[in-house]
Amino acid sequence: MSDRYKVNRGCVDIEFLVLGMLSNNTYIIGDGKATMVVDPSCHADEILEALGEKKLDAIVLTHHHYDHVGAARELKDATGATVISSVIDAPLIEEGSPALGSGRRMTPCPVDSLVEDGDIVQIGDMAWKIIMTPGHTKGSMCLFIDPRFGNHPENEPVLLSGDTLFCASIGRTDFEGGSMEDMRASLKRLAFLPDETLVLPGHNDLTTIGAERKRIFAQFA
């Protein structure tokens, strides 16, 4: 069984599993009315076990890389959840593109909801704002929620940052579709978020916008 953690911060209920060879953070997020899984890397059975009796309403894919979508199709088939992706990366998810030049193809997964910059994704009472952040892939996206739209409004805003922003690091830009110029522009957009925002990255430790302002934004944005 993979490592499983509960986060006692943020304006919504947050748990995550660390899955796969690349130690991906797969998030289970809810507000008591609806539940979403973010970037189901692999081991759909473990994600389903972690969900327990919760009904899965949505599967959010921050970008098309195999280590973020590997269990999406199996999870969708098991739960009927709506799959959400950026309009740019969706075709690669639906066709099962090669896994980062490995020659191994991902299992294709239908995308039900295509989103673009500035869209609001409503899951239960949660209202997540889409922030397009190309750089790691052309269609990479982050999702931000203001505490007013969470079930713990007294707590911090939350940013799902995918492979754009990590704790003391940023996503690689040397893969196909990556661009350091785009990444810098994307980081500048994230720098406008409040310092107290809890950042949930695709890998490694959680962080905050304030912590990254002193190191990542100071260096890249």
Side-chain angles (χ1 to χ4, degrees):
M1 181 69 180
S2 299
D3 293 332
R4 179 178 175 184
Y5 303 92
K6 184 173 183 179
V7 181
N8 295 313
R9 300 169 58 191
C11 61
V12 287
D13 298 327
I14 305 165
E15 293 182 66
F16 68 99
L17 304 174
V18 180
L19 298 172
M21 294 176 61
L22 298 180
S23 297
N24 286 75
N25 296 333
T26 291
Y27 295 96
I28 299 174
I29 296 177
D31 67 348
K33 294 186 177 181
T35 302
M36 58 195 264
V37 165
V38 183
D39 290 350
S41 173
C42 56
H43 303 313
D45 57 334
E46 294 189 21
I47 300 172
L48 290 167
E49 182 180 343
L51 282 165
E53 298 300 313
K54 297 186 184 79
K55 175 183 178 290
L56 182 59
D57 299 280
I59 300 167
V60 176
L61 308 176
T62 62
H63 63 289
H64 71 79
H65 285 163
Y66 77 98
D67 60 316
H68 291 256
V69 307
R73 178 60 182 268
E74 189 174 351
L75 205 57
K76 176 178 174 59
D77 288 347
T79 63
T82 298
V83 175
I84 301 168
S85 161
S86 74
V87 67
I88 298 171
D89 272 12
L92 293 166
I93 295 167
E94 293 193 314
E95 71 184 32
S97 61
L100 302 182
S102 69
R104 182 167 58 87
R105 299 191 74 82
M106 300 181 297
T107 302
C109 181
V111 176
D112 304 295
S113 179
L114 302 174
V115 295
E116 299 181 90
D117 190 58
D119 286 351
I120 302 296
V121 173
Q122 191 81 30
I123 301 171
D125 287 339
M126 298 179 287
W128 294 88
K129 183 175 182 178
I130 301 298
I131 306 173
M132 291 303 300
T133 52
H136 184 62
T137 71
K138 291 182 179 179
S140 287
M141 67 179 187
C142 296
L143 294 89
F144 175 81
I145 186 168
D146 184 281
R148 294 174 296 166
F149 305 113
N151 58 324
H152 303 293
E154 70 281 6
N155 288 351
E156 303 96 332
V158 173
L159 179 75
L160 292 159
S161 65
D163 279 6
T164 297
L165 178 64
F166 300 130
C167 179
S169 184
I170 63 172
R172 291 177 61 171
T173 59
D174 57 333
F175 295 134
E176 183 177 354
S179 164
M180 179 53 76
E181 182 179 359
D182 288 347
M183 178 65 79
R184 288 180 182 275
S186 294
L187 293 169
K188 286 180 180 179
R189 300 193 69 194
L190 297 183
F192 282 98
L193 297 177
D195 279 355
E196 65 270 21
T197 302
L198 177 63
V199 178
L200 308 181
H203 304 266
N204 304 324
D205 295 336
L206 310 189
T207 185
T208 65
I209 289 293
E212 301 317 318
R213 191 176 308 286
K214 299 173 184 178
R215 43 197 182 196
I216 293 304
F217 299 138
Q219 180 178 357
F220 293 99

